[in-house]
Each structure stands twice: as structure tokens, then as C-alpha cells.
Amino acid sequence: MQPPTHIALCHQLDDLQQLSGHFADKDFYCELNELRLKLTEEKLNLVVVGLFKRGKSSLVNALLGKDLAPVAVTPLTTVVTSFEYTPGSPHAIIYYKGGQSREEDIDQVVQYISEEENPANIKKVEAVRILHPAIPLLRMVTLIDTPGLGSAFVYNTESTREFIPKMDAALFVLSADLPISQADVDFLEELRSSVPEIIFVLNKKDILEEKDLERLLTHDRKILLEKELIRPEASILSVSARLARMGQRGASGIEGLLSHIHQQMETEKDALLQEVFVKRYGWLYSRLEVQLQLKLQALRTPVNELELKQKRLREAIILLHSQKEEFYNTIRGETHMMQGSIAHAVEEDARGLQQELRQRLEVHKEKLKDPALFQSVQTEFNHLILDRFERRWNELEQQIKKKFGSLLAGYGQRSRSFLNELILHLSSLMGISFDIIAGRFDLDTYSSSYLSVKGASIVSGRLSPFARLLPASKRQNQLQHRLIHHYDAVVVQNASSVIYDLQYRIQESFRKFSTDLESRLKDLVDNMDRLIAETLATKRSHQELVENEIRDVEGRLKKLQNMTIQHI
């Protein structure tokens, strides 16, 4: 029996569906039905993620107790693959990007999800579901295998990143054959903002001696704690999928992992389901609000204007396809130049700061003779360096965002460019600002860079016994030289951090922007076209129907806004 909270949440979805009428698009109803099913079945998506060659598919098979996920020496999984419970016979369902699907025997799945038999996903497979009746884990969760990040196949990384919003909990796989990497940390930062629960697993424990395994686990956990990516009370569970496959499940650690998953899913299930609901309900609400606003604006627009908008929208879609590569190449080239100018500007700042510190040292050289004053000079220099780089970092962030917006605006002003067409229609039909496009380049991507005055050798005011025998002027020069060397290194260290951070975030923000422009804006344009076509049909039939529909849509919008205030 469903808990009362889940029943109440299902009622909210019913209210949302009732308000949507026939105005929402297919994605809205798919998401709504998927969320309702999740609440009804109380089953979460547990997604196995990590960098390539961590043994994710082997781990999936070990958890299932059956070899259902294909494994290979080379990066194999190219398509998100889910493993689900069914009361019927084992089978697989292949979903294609065009919307079609087909049922297959499980042993035929490899031809759809392997790089060797489906290179670059030339078969256009959207997803694969493998259903089985005799696996206990699948009665509790839907287990999902994803392509590994960081392989030579970029589309594998993209398909995993696109699936992040569907992750209710993640099984993040590290490996005993190498320590946690910066790429692991970067991906975890991306997951942390979207995935409510992350369980950490270290695979391939059998390749290390016990003491080396403990040393690696301690190291990896220390990194995760420093980055605040793991809770202090949580642990990294070590397993060996290979030993499990050889029948040594007791030594493999798999049973302990299964027990941990069961405990986590049981104790956290209600809280996780509610967190997932709030996040995905918010997406549904926003989507429906946009759909209703679009419809209302279209209904209020005269027929001749709508016909013109429809024509130009369809032209914009054609332009989107024909100019896409040229647009991306143009903007990509500009972002590369931007990255170069960032490095040049920060390096110039660093040289100027090094010179300024030398001048300040000359002013303070008398203080260096007193150990207490010596420490105050270092404190002053440390604050100066951190403050100068912090302010410059923030200034450059704002400059980058503004520069990218200017790049897009310049491209958008070119007549007959698809961006020009999009800007015109977003503004005239919906009153949507151009910022909806430019604002997607927001540098909101995590990197591990930070400012610090540590890392270079610490300088003290004490000299060695040998140095004390030198004349006072020589001792003074030696101490100054050590300070100059120290702060030169600190300045270079922080300049490198700023350059790396901004260059990396420019690159990742462009990737995110490109994905968003190609998918979400195209969805918006397609939906606008559909709504215009439907509205034109209504307007041409009878004006009274138009007035009735305007009142209907206005009422739905008002109820939607009131409903949000009451329940969320």
C-alpha cells in the first residue's frame, strides 16, 4: 500500500495533467507518466556511473548474478541500458531515436549497445531495457548501466551526461588500478547538484595486497572528504567483479555491496522519492507554464501575423540545420581566442604583482630583521596576493560572460542567420529575451582550482648557523632572495589556478551551451510551430471558439499558479 505522502504527490500530478489539457507536448506527458509510475511502484533508478574501464558492466553483472551486460577489453557500452523486473519471460526492448521500438532476445542486445557492432551508435538506438523475472535486486530498484566518461568516444560521455536528470541514486565506480583522478572529481561535482544519493564503490580490489588496498581507499576517501563529495560517515565499499564472476562471491565483496544498497534504498527510499518528485515536478510545472503562455499569445495574435510567424519559424528550422556547423565553428574559434586572451591577461597581472611585491620588500627590508615583523610582512603579502587574484578572477568571469553574449549578439544580427530568426520569434511571439540563449553560457561548471598561499616552500625568518656567520648585509640579501623566490612561486601557482579554471569552464560552458541550443531551443521552436498551426486552425474555423479558448487557457494558467502556491 502506498504511503499517504505518495498518494498526495500522485494527486498533484493528476491536477497538473488535468490543467495541461491538450496543450502540452509529448515530452511533458512522458515525464509525467514516468514520475507517476515511479511513485506508484516506489522503485528508484540506481545508475552505475564512472569513467571508462572501471569495470562498470562487470560490476552490473556481479550485482545481477547473471551475465546480462556485455563486457569487453575495449570501451563497450555506448547506450544507456536498464535492467528491470518483469513477472514474464526474460527479454529486451530496443528503443530508437525516431520513436520506434522492437523486442529482442537478451543474447542479441550486444549488437545494439557495443561499440564494435554499433560504432558511434549508427543504428540510432535511444535506450535498451533488459527485463528479467529471477533477479532479487530488480524487485527493489531499476539498475542502469551507462557509457563510461572520458573514453575516445565523445558521444558516450554525452549520452551519460544527458541521463543525469533521470538518476535517482548513483553507484559511482572507482578502480583499484589507479587513484581517484581529477576527471572523477569533476564528474562527481556535476552529479552532486542533481543526484540525491551517491554510493561509492572501488572495483578490482583483487589486484592489490590488503595494505595497498587500505592505503588507496584512505587516499581516495581523503580527496572526496576535502572536496565535500562524500559524507563523513560514509565509506567506499571495495569489491571485485572478477572474483564474483569466478564464483568467489564471498571474497568478492558483492554481497556486502548488495546488503548496503538494500539498506540504503529501504531507509532512504521515501526521502529520495520526495526529493526526486520536487525536482522533476518543477520541470513539469515550468514546461506547462511555457506551453500555456505560448498558446495564449498565439490565440491573441491576428491570423495574418500568425501565418507570417509560422512561415519564418519553419525557415528558421531549415537554417538551424544548414548553418549549425558553421555557427559552432565560428563560436568555437572565438572561445579559443578568449581562452588565449585570459591566459595572457593573467600572466601579465602575475608579472606586475611579482614586481610590486619586490618593491614592497625593498620598503619593508628593515622589518625583516625582527622575526615578529618578518611574520607580519608575510601575512600582508599573503592577503595582498589572495585579494588581488580573487578580484581579478571575478572581473574576468564577468568579462567572459559579457564577451560571449556579444559574440552571440553579433552573430544574431547577421541577416538570414538562424540565430537572428530565433531571436526575432522568441521576442515577438513570446516576449522571451535574447538572454535565454546567451544566458546558457553561464560558466556554472565546477573545476577544482582554488587560490592558496600554501604549496610553495614556507619561509621563516630564522637563518642557518652558517648563514649567521655572514655579514649583516649578506644575511639581509639572502633573506630577501628567499622571500622573492617564495612569492614568485606563490604568484605563479595562483595565476595557473585562475587560468586553468577559466579556460576549463569556458570549454565546458560552450559544450553545455551547444547541447542546449541544439536540443531545447529546437524543441521550443518545434512546439511553437505546432501551437501556431493548431491556433490557426481554430481561428480559421470560428472566432467564438478562439475567445472561448483564450478564456480556457487564462483559467488554466491562473489555476496552475495558485496550485503551485498551495502545494510546493
Side-chain angles (χ1 to χ4, degrees):
M1 183 176 176
Q2 277 189 282
T5 53
H6 293 179
I7 294 173
L9 296 179
C10 285
H11 286 328
Q12 281 191 247
L13 293 180
D14 293 339
D15 293 341
L16 207 60
Q17 181 166 7
Q18 186 176 4
L19 284 176
S20 68
H22 60 280
F23 301 109
D25 58 13
K26 184 178 75 172
D27 287 344
F28 173 89
Y29 292 113
C30 286
E31 174 70 13
L32 188 141
N33 290 333
E34 186 178 311
L35 186 52
R36 180 186 284 113
L37 185 64
K38 185 182 296 293
L39 290 170
T40 303
E41 294 185 347
E42 299 182 0
K43 187 183 288 188
L44 296 161
N45 288 335
L46 177 60
V47 186
V48 182
V49 292
L51 273 62
F52 79 108
K53 300 315 296 172
R54 297 297 196 263
K56 294 187 301 301
S57 295
S58 296
L59 179 60
V60 166
N61 286 336
L63 290 169
L64 296 173
K66 295 181 181 295
D67 289 343
L68 299 183
V71 294
V73 175
T74 56
L76 181 75
T77 307
T78 61
V79 176
V80 173
T81 307
S82 66
F83 300 85
E84 305 172 42
Y85 170 77
T86 178
S89 58
H91 65 283
I93 304 175
I94 315 299
Y95 295 89
Y96 295 93
K97 292 183 181 292
Q100 305 89 354
S101 63
R102 63 179 296 172
E103 190 169 317
E104 275 283 8
D105 291 335
I106 289 178
D107 58 7
Q108 297 299 311
V109 163
V110 67
Q111 65 182 293
Y112 300 99
I113 67 173
S114 71
E115 182 59 37
E116 183 178 356
E117 298 200 40
N118 184 19
N121 196 14
I122 58 172
K123 296 178 181 178
K124 305 297 181 187
V125 178
E126 180 76 29
V128 172
R129 294 172 64 203
I130 296 176
L131 298 101
H132 204 285
I135 299 173
L137 177 65
L138 300 185
R139 289 180 174 270
M140 180 173 53
V141 298
T142 293
L143 191 65
I144 299 174
D145 191 14
T146 61
L149 271 73
S151 75
F153 309 114
V154 177
Y155 45 83
N156 288 354
T157 297
E158 291 302 327
S159 63
T160 297
R161 279 197 160 102
E162 288 170 6
F163 196 74
I164 289 176
K166 302 285 187 183
M167 298 183 188
D168 304 330
L171 203 62
F172 193 90
V173 184
L174 299 164
S175 179
D177 53 5
L178 72 168
I180 188 170
S181 69
Q182 186 58 52
D184 289 306
V185 170
D186 290 342
F187 184 40
L188 278 166
E189 283 289 345
E190 194 171 344
L191 289 177
R192 185 174 64 172
S193 61
S194 300
V195 182
E197 178 73 19
I198 300 178
I199 299 170
F200 292 91
V201 180
L202 184 82
N203 194 17
K204 308 182 186 179
K205 73 169 187 172
D206 55 301
I207 67 173
L208 295 179
E209 297 291 336
E210 189 66 32
K211 64 178 182 178
D212 293 328
L213 177 63
E214 287 302 318
R215 189 177 297 121
L216 179 63
L217 287 168
T218 300
H219 169 270
D220 286 359
R221 192 168 185 279
K222 180 183 176 185
I223 298 295
L224 292 171
L225 283 170
E226 286 175 353
K227 304 295 184 182
E228 298 182 349
L229 294 170
I230 190 171
R231 294 191 299 271
E233 69 275 12
S235 58
I236 303 174
L237 302 170
S238 59
V239 300
S240 169
R242 187 179 74 87
L243 289 180
R245 193 175 190 184
M246 293 168 60
Q248 302 176 40
R249 290 186 70 84
S252 72
I254 292 297
E255 294 302 328
L257 176 56
L258 281 169
S259 176
H260 181 81
I261 291 171
H262 188 275
Q263 182 181 7
Q264 287 294 100
M265 293 301 103
E266 281 298 310
T267 58
E268 302 290 334
K269 181 173 65 175
D270 287 348
L272 287 173
L273 278 170
Q274 289 193 50
E275 189 171 344
V276 167
F277 176 86
V278 169
K279 180 178 68 174
R280 294 171 73 171
Y281 181 90
W283 182 91
L284 286 165
Y285 172 84
S286 299
R287 186 90 170 190
L288 179 57
E289 187 175 34
V290 169
Q291 306 287 329
L292 292 174
Q293 287 174 342
L294 273 170
K295 184 66 177 179
L296 188 58
Q297 189 63 37
L299 285 166
R300 289 170 172 167
T301 304
V303 170
N304 58 335
E305 287 185 32
L306 274 179
E307 289 173 337
L308 180 60
K309 290 178 188 295
Q310 183 182 49
K311 180 185 176 202
R312 294 181 67 180
L313 267 174
R314 290 174 176 174
E315 290 172 351
I317 295 171
I318 295 170
L319 283 168
L320 173 61
H321 291 298
S322 65
Q323 296 182 358
K324 183 176 64 178
E325 286 307 313
E326 182 246 345
F327 167 72
Y328 287 145
N329 288 336
T330 299
I331 303 299
R332 188 180 292 111
E334 294 286 352
T335 55
H336 285 165
M337 290 176 61
M338 200 186 303
Q339 288 174 308
S341 67
I342 289 296
H344 178 74
V346 175
E347 287 164 0
E348 282 287 313
D349 291 342
R351 284 190 287 271
L353 183 55
Q354 286 172 332
Q355 187 60 36
E356 182 181 340
L357 291 172
R358 282 179 169 81
Q359 293 168 357
R360 286 179 178 244
L361 268 177
E362 191 65 30
V363 172
H364 291 314
K365 65 182 180 181
E366 289 301 317
K367 292 183 179 179
L368 302 182
K369 298 175 183 178
D370 185 330
L373 294 177
F374 179 90
Q375 187 59 46
S376 72
V377 170
Q378 286 205 89
T379 301
E380 176 190 329
F381 281 19
N382 290 344
H383 287 160
L384 174 66
I385 290 170
L386 294 177
D387 178 67
R388 193 68 59 82
F389 274 111
E390 182 71 36
R391 284 192 287 112
R392 189 61 169 138
W393 205 339
N394 292 332
E395 287 171 6
L396 288 170
E397 280 188 351
Q398 297 307 313
Q399 289 176 18
I400 291 166
K401 292 176 187 178
K402 186 175 180 181
K403 172 97 173 172
F404 192 81
S406 298
L407 287 176
L408 292 181
Y411 190 91
Q413 287 167 7
R414 289 167 47 178
S415 62
R416 300 298 298 162
S417 76
F418 82 88
L419 202 54
N420 176 276
E421 296 293 310
L422 284 177
I423 292 167
L424 286 172
H425 290 294
L426 289 172
S427 176
S428 64
L429 182 61
M430 266 293 290
I432 295 176
S433 166
F434 170 69
D435 291 342
I436 195 174
I437 299 174
R440 293 304 303 169
F441 190 88
D442 53 14
L443 294 181
D444 187 19
T445 301
Y446 172 80
S447 86
S448 60
S449 299
Y450 57 93
L451 298 177
S452 174
V453 291
K454 299 178 181 178
S457 59
I458 303 301
V459 179
S460 73
R462 296 188 180 89
L463 296 173
S464 67
F466 172 76
R468 291 187 191 127
L469 299 176
L470 297 172
S473 60
K474 291 282 187 184
R475 293 199 305 269
Q476 186 75 7
N477 289 339
Q478 189 180 86
L479 199 52
Q480 264 187 267
H481 179 74
R482 284 168 58 193
L483 275 173
I484 287 170
H485 179 76
H486 169 76
Y487 281 111
D488 277 353
V490 170
V491 168
V492 169
Q493 167 188 302
N494 284 289
S496 299
S497 291
V498 173
I499 291 170
Y500 170 81
D501 173 84
L502 293 175
Q503 288 186 337
Y504 174 78
R505 290 198 289 144
I506 287 171
Q507 172 189 316
E508 285 302 292
S509 293
F510 177 73
R511 180 193 61 77
K512 185 174 67 172
F513 165 83
S514 304
T515 302
D516 197 74
L517 184 67
E518 194 164 346
S519 58
R520 297 189 185 182
L521 278 180
K522 184 181 180 304
D523 288 346
L524 179 59
V525 171
D526 288 346
N527 190 50
M528 288 165 70
D529 181 49
R530 177 182 65 82
L531 285 172
I532 288 174
E534 291 175 357
T535 306
L536 280 171
T538 303
K539 281 177 170 287
R540 287 167 181 154
S541 62
H542 203 287
Q543 184 59 33
E544 186 179 343
L545 292 176
V546 175
E547 293 170 358
N548 289 338
E549 193 152 12
I550 287 174
R551 286 192 291 271
D552 180 36
V553 175
E554 287 175 335
R556 289 173 189 271
L557 266 171
K558 186 175 181 180
K559 287 180 181 178
L560 179 66
Q561 290 157 0
N562 289 339
M563 183 177 69
T564 304
I565 293 169
Q566 291 169 6
H567 296 299
I568 296 298

